[in-house]
Amino acid sequence: MDSNCRKDGIALDKRVRDAGLRPTRQRIALAELLFAKGDRHLSAEELHEEALAAGVPISLATVYNALHQFTEAGLLRILAVEGARTYFDTNTSDHHHFYIEGENRIFDIEGGPVMVNNLPEPPEGMEIANVDVVVRLRPKRRL
């Protein structure tokens, strides 16, 4: 994989380094898979399969570790959709999602903000950092 692959004019190794992470060969290979195709929502298992298909010899545990390191560094956003299913979003801006039940597919809600009213007061000394809205979809039931 080319560690000089560019996204928005910034080399991936520099982007990883600027996020406070050491740009190891495996991190750069995963970053290339994550960021080369635009905004994406991937599970660790999906990224692991892509890495193996691209000839990147990497364990699933290493993929999980890298994804969590990227998330902590602000390069990814984590989405817990299904109980044990977690997705990683390359679009870290504030936005919300549609999730298609049964297909395990997630995509961004386009067209502006989603209004959430009557949020509870946070506990003393805490503030609301973000509200994630996931709208679950399924095919319409026929009558």
Side-chain angles (χ1 to χ4, degrees), residues 16-62:
V16 169
R17 186 178 283 109
D18 288 351
L21 298 171
R22 200 165 51 99
T24 64
R25 218 178 27 230
Q26 289 178 321
R27 283 187 187 130
I28 297 303
L30 293 175
E32 185 173 321
L33 290 169
L34 282 165
F35 301 115
K37 298 178 184 176
D39 291 335
R40 309 177 69 197
H41 307 91
L42 289 169
S43 68
E45 294 79 9
E46 290 168 334
L47 182 58
H48 182 244
E49 288 175 19
E50 282 189 19
L52 294 178
V56 178
I58 193 166
S59 71
L60 181 58
T62 300

Side-chain angles (χ1 to χ4, degrees), residues 21 26-27 30 34 42-49 51 58-73 76 78-80 82-88:
L21 298 171
Q26 289 178 321
R27 283 187 187 130
L30 293 175
L34 282 165
L42 289 169
S43 68
E45 294 79 9
E46 290 168 334
L47 182 58
H48 182 244
E49 288 175 19
I58 193 166
S59 71
L60 181 58
T62 300
V63 171
Y64 269 105
N65 289 337
L67 287 170
H68 286 289
Q69 291 163 351
F70 287 168
T71 301
E72 288 172 18
L76 296 175
I78 195 165
L79 300 168
E82 286 289 311
R85 188 86 165 168
T86 300
Y87 291 88
F88 295 86

Side-chain angles (χ1 to χ4, degrees), residues 98-120:
F98 284 120
Y99 175 74
I100 301 178
E101 294 180 339
E103 294 181 25
N104 294 329
R105 231 172 20 107
I106 190 163
F107 55 97
D108 294 346
I109 294 175
E110 301 292 337
V114 173
M115 301 300 290
V116 179
N117 297 317
N118 301 320
L119 289 173

